[in-house]
């Protein structure tokens, strides 16, 4: 099972030297174990889940193996079969097949597996070698620091303590990430623990990496190292603001309804660690550099007091001294205290909910109180900030049933990096991104009706729409909140496409939008509770929670649903694992470990 030498995964090779001068040692690694892990994953779907509980794809020494590992988990998460043929096709579509050694190497990996029964043991070997490489790297770095004549001993002791603390925190973060991966799909490089990167613990769901698609995703990637804000919150701000700037001319037809590229989002996170404002300022800084005339008070107002107040801002006005917003009726409304807005909307006789519903639809606005108060063809996007506590307190069933707040995408966000000395993005980076955005938005505004590519339309009809319709028919609080997911996924895909200089939604745009809607649903579940609308699923969830850290075994699930067949029990278990907070783990016994379902939320 040996393989030819491969480039190192880390920079340890340059640091780890033997006792003799100029003698290089190979960092701790076991290529045979890495190959066996990957081959076993291609032979058994159960092995994929077992390996996820032991190691992270970044534990591989060979970069190609990490790429293959992530691709296997992507296919598995999407419910696709995993074998050398399907995996080669998946890697080929991403442009990674040649880089990992071609289709023939995937068959070599399968042939290299002695037995899939030992996959967890192989994964433990790979994880152990990765830990040893990190220890070698840290130890060598500290040794070099201590050997520097000008270094103060107190500084060295501080550095040692910091490195030990970082290693401990990284191990804990990696353990959390392995558990979270079973909840929300493949790991996302934006959120993965890496040496030298300090990430706080994330208490909620993690978005699928495919949401960072195209030019918008590229912008998030460029800005990510410069901010502590959650990348998915920066993404939501860019989608919402870009849709507002593009205007009402580009649209798509959903049935007989004309849908503009309006994305409304609520970024929901704790006051201190949510970094909601940082996400908005990060996105706004680039877009304001690109279009300073738009990102002023005329087009980015604050303070939604009433429906009449919103109409007043964009009302029809042909006078010479008309407010700019009365002529150019594009708005990106920013509400840093959206709980206050929600309270205003609940007052008896408030016109705000009704006006907001009209605005999301792209309809002309009018007031029943003042006949003269009209706004023809407005284009209004809204981005609100709210804490989890406020969100739970304000989201009463009556509000959701009114249909106002299911027009917002709930986006859970949390501080993603620890950057105590950050000064934000460099002026050069902001200027470069702004140049690209200036062209992107100008081209997008000239588009009329947006179309679908055949692949994107097939994905929507065959997979996306049935999945979203199933969620909608399940009932419960979450289904009410995500009732507009089907048209919303098309809106989001449209903005992704327009920002990629095209008037045609491609398959990757649709997939990105689908995963973002999935993340919004996961956010709502995480914040509002796992109210599924399925009595059997609620029964299983309650039993798993009651079981505590010991979890629920397959036999115990069987006893819980005595009259249900194995297929029904498997369906319920799979459905529960789709909800944030539930995971498949291993319980140690006297013999082979037992698989259990636990609640970790």
């Amino acid at each position: 099972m040996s393989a030819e030498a491969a480039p190192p995964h880390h920079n340890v090779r340059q640091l780890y030297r033997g006792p003799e001068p100029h003698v290089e040692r190979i960092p701790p690694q076991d290529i045979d174990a890495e190959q066996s892990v990957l081959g076993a994953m291609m032979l058994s779907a159960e092995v994929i889940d077992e390996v996820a509980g032991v190691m992270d794809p970044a534990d591989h020494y060979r970069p190609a193996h990490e790429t293959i590992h992530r691709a296997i988990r992507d296919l598995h998460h999407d419910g696709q079969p995993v074998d050398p043929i399907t995996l080669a096709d998946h890697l080929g579509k991403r442009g990674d097949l040649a880089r990992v050694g071609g289709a023939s190497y995937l068959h070599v990996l399968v042939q290299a597996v002695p037995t899939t029964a030992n996959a967890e043991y192989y994964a433990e070997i790979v994880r152990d070698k990765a830990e040893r490489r990190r220890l070698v790297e840290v130890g060598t770095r500290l040794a070099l620091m201590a050997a520097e004549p000008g270094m103060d001993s107190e500084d060295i002791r501080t550095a040692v303590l910091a490195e030990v603390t970082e290693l401990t925190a990284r191990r804990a973060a990696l353990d959390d990430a392995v558990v979270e991966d079973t909840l929300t799909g493949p790991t996302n490089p934006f959120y993965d623990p890496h040496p030298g990167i300090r990430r706080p613990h994330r208490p909620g769901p993690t978005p699928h990496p495919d949401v960072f698609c195209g030019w918008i995703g590229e912008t998030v990637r460029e800005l990510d190292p410069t901010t502590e804000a959650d990348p998915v919150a920066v993404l939501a701000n860019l989608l919402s603001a870009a849709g507002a700037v593009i205007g009402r001319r580009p649209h798509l037809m959903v049935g007989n309804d004309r849908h503009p590229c309006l994305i409304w989002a609520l970024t929901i996170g704790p006051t201190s660690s949510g970094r909601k404002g940082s996400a908005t300022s990060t996105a706004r800084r680039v877009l304001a550099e690109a279009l300073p005339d738009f990102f002023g008070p005329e087009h980015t107002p604050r303070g939604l007091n009433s429906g009449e107040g919103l109409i007043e801002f964009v009302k029809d006005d042909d006078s010479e001294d008309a407010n700019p917003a009365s002529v150019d009726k594009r708005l990106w409304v920013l509400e840093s205290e959206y709980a206050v807005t929600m309270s205003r909307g609940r007052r008896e006789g408030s016109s705000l909910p009704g006006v907001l519903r009209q605005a999301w639809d792209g309809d002309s606005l009018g007031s029943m109180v003042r006949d003269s108060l009209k706004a023809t063809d407005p284009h209004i996007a809204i981005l609100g900030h709210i804490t989890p506590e406020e969100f739970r307190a304000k989201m009463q069933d009556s509000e959701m049933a009114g249909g106002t707040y299911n027009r917002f995408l709930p986006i859970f966000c949390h501080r993603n990096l620890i950057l105590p000395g950050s000064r934000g993005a460099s002026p050069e980076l902001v200027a470069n991104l702004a140049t690209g955005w200036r062209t992107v938005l100008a081209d997008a505004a000239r588009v009329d009706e947006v179309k679908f590519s055949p692949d994107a339309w097939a994905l929507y009809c065959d997979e996306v729409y049935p999945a979203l319709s199933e969620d909608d028919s399940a009932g419960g609080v979450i289904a009410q909140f995500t009732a507009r997911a089907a048209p919303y996924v098309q809106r989001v895909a449209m903005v992704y496409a327009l920002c990629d200089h095209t008037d045609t939604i491609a398959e990757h745009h649709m997939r990105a939008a689908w995963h973002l809607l999935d993340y919004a649903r996961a956010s709502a579940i995480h914040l509002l509770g796992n109210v599924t609308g399925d009595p059997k699923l609620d029964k299983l969830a309650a039993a798993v929670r009651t079981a505590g850290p010991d979890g629920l075994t397959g036999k115990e699930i069987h006893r819980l649903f005595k009259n249900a067949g194995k297929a029904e029990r498997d369906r319920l278990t799979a459905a529960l694992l789709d909800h944030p907070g539930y995971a498949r783990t291993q319980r140690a016994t006297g013999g082979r470990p037992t698989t259990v379902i636990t609640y970790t939320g």
Side-chain angles (χ1 to χ4, degrees):
M1 291 191 296
S2 60
E4 69 274 15
H9 185 67
H10 303 287
N11 62 350
V12 184
R13 188 185 293 273
Q14 289 76 18
L15 298 173
Y16 187 40
R17 304 284 178 174
E20 302 88 357
H22 309 299
V23 175
E24 184 178 57
R25 290 183 179 177
I26 301 299
Q29 58 169 298
D30 193 323
I31 299 300
D32 288 351
E34 293 186 15
Q35 291 179 321
S36 295
V37 167
L38 297 175
M41 292 170 76
M42 279 187 273
L43 289 172
S44 170
E46 290 184 1
V47 166
I48 299 175
D49 293 326
E50 293 173 356
V51 169
V54 176
M55 64 170 288
D56 186 84
D59 288 339
H60 287 286
Y61 176 73
R62 178 175 284 187
H65 289 169
E66 179 181 352
T67 301
I68 294 169
H69 194 135
R70 293 189 186 281
I72 289 173
R73 297 210 296 186
D74 287 354
L75 284 173
H76 182 64
H77 176 258
D78 290 339
Q80 301 298 316
V82 180
D83 56 49
I85 305 300
T86 59
L87 187 58
D89 179 68
H90 183 72
L91 289 166
K93 289 178 179 178
R94 294 192 170 195
D96 290 331
L97 184 59
R99 187 163 61 86
V100 302
S104 61
Y105 185 61
L106 302 181
H107 289 278
V108 169
L109 293 176
V110 171
Q111 295 167 4
V113 184
T115 171
T116 59
N118 294 336
E120 288 185 71
Y121 177 70
Y122 305 143
E124 288 173 357
I125 295 175
V126 175
R127 171 172 167 169
D128 178 71
K129 298 298 184 184
E131 286 298 300
R132 290 174 182 270
R133 286 197 301 274
R134 294 176 189 116
L135 289 169
V136 167
E137 182 176 359
V138 170
T140 306
R141 188 161 59 245
L142 291 173
L144 293 174
M145 182 186 299
E148 285 290 330
M151 286 296 296
D152 181 78
S153 59
E154 186 60 35
D155 290 339
I156 296 172
R157 280 192 292 271
T158 301
V160 170
L161 180 59
E163 291 286 4
V164 171
T165 302
E166 177 68 22
L167 282 171
T168 304
R170 186 196 181 282
R171 182 70 267 160
L174 182 55
D175 289 339
D176 290 339
V178 167
V179 172
E180 282 295 324
D181 185 65
T182 66
L183 310 180
T184 56
T187 55
N188 190 324
F190 278 125
Y191 303 91
D192 288 350
H194 294 293
I197 296 179
R198 300 174 64 193
R199 298 197 194 280
H201 169 68
R202 185 178 185 83
T206 300
H208 192 288
D210 284 355
V211 302
F212 300 102
C213 166
W215 171 244
I216 294 180
E218 181 64 27
T219 301
V220 177
R221 277 188 285 274
E222 292 288 339
L223 293 171
D224 180 56
T226 73
T227 177
E228 294 186 334
D230 196 324
V232 75
V234 177
L235 176 81
N237 275 268
L238 288 171
L239 284 166
S240 181
V245 173
I246 289 169
R248 66 179 289 112
R249 180 176 175 180
H251 67 281
L252 53 80
M253 298 301 296
V254 180
N256 291 313
D257 296 322
R258 182 187 190 278
H259 280 257
C261 51
L262 289 174
I263 310 298
W264 291 13
L266 285 178
T267 52
I268 308 168
T271 300
S272 57
S273 60
R275 296 299 192 269
K276 303 181 291 294
S278 295
T280 295
S281 60
T282 297
R284 180 172 179 148
R285 184 181 174 198
V286 171
L287 296 179
E289 177 82 9
L291 297 169
D293 290 343
F294 181 89
F295 287 89
E298 293 84 5
H299 293 287
T300 57
R302 300 171 185 265
L304 282 173
N305 293 310
S306 65
E308 287 78 18
L310 181 60
I311 300 172
E312 183 79 34
F313 207 87
V314 290
K315 68 179 180 180
D316 298 340
D317 189 350
D318 298 327
S319 62
E320 295 182 0
D321 58 346
N323 185 312
S326 297
V327 179
D328 180 356
K329 299 182 181 182
R330 297 173 300 160
L331 296 183
W332 188 43
V333 181
L334 297 173
E335 290 295 328
S336 59
E337 300 291 340
Y338 204 77
V340 176
T341 303
M342 296 172 85
S343 295
R344 291 169 181 156
R346 293 198 68 214
R347 293 173 184 167
E348 185 176 355
S350 173
S351 62
L352 185 57
V355 172
L356 290 180
R357 290 194 289 271
Q358 291 176 324
W360 187 85
D361 293 336
D363 294 340
S364 296
L365 308 180
S367 171
M368 296 181 65
V369 178
R370 291 171 53 190
D371 291 339
S372 60
L373 194 58
K374 297 178 181 179
T376 306
D377 295 337
H379 187 75
I380 303 169
I382 301 175
L383 192 290
H385 301 166
I386 192 170
T387 68
E389 295 76 18
E390 292 169 335
F391 183 68
R392 296 186 192 102
K394 300 295 182 183
M395 290 305 300
Q396 305 295 329
D397 286 353
S398 59
E399 290 179 303
M400 286 184 283
T404 301
Y405 296 110
N406 59 23
R407 285 159 167 84
F408 286 86
L409 295 180
I411 302 295
F412 170 77
C413 59
H414 194 271
R415 182 185 188 188
N416 191 50
L417 287 173
I418 299 176
L419 302 173
S422 174
R423 296 293 182 269
S426 68
E428 294 79 12
L429 174 60
V430 173
N432 288 339
L433 290 173
T435 299
W437 273 103
R438 196 175 297 117
T439 303
V440 162
L441 296 172
D443 290 348
R446 290 190 284 267
V447 172
D448 287 308
E449 184 174 353
V450 175
K451 306 293 186 181
F452 291 82
S453 72
D455 288 343
W457 188 243
L459 175 63
Y460 178 76
C461 293
D462 298 341
E463 298 182 47
V464 178
Y465 187 74
L468 297 179
S469 298
E470 182 179 347
D471 288 343
D472 186 44
S473 64
V477 174
I478 304 305
Q480 291 183 41
F481 194 80
T482 57
R484 280 174 171 73
Y488 227 140
V489 76
Q490 297 189 50
R491 285 195 181 195
V492 175
M494 172 169 57
V495 177
Y496 274 119
L498 290 169
C499 290
D500 278 351
H501 292 283
T502 177
D503 62 356
T504 302
I505 295 171
E507 180 180 358
H508 59 279
H509 298 135
M510 178 55 66
R511 196 170 296 279
W514 185 15
H515 285 306
L516 186 61
L517 265 292
D518 273 346
Y519 180 74
R521 184 175 185 275
S523 295
I525 292 172
H526 172 68
L527 294 160
L528 297 176
N530 296 328
V531 183
T532 68
D534 182 338
K536 289 184 179 180
L537 194 54
D538 286 340
K539 179 180 178 181
L540 178 58
V544 171
R545 284 173 177 262
T546 302
D550 290 337
L552 218 60
T553 66
K555 290 183 180 179
E556 290 167 334
I557 294 174
H558 190 180
R559 287 197 295 269
L560 190 65
F561 299 100
K562 296 177 182 178
N563 298 324
K566 184 178 184 302
E568 176 65 0
R569 295 195 303 273
D570 289 346
R571 180 193 72 80
L572 291 169
T573 301
L576 186 65
L577 290 172
D578 283 339
H579 291 276
Y582 297 93
R584 182 184 285 114
T585 58
Q586 299 290 316
R587 179 199 294 173
T589 64
R592 184 175 176 81
T594 299
T595 299
V596 297
I597 307 300
T598 60
Y599 180 70
T600 62

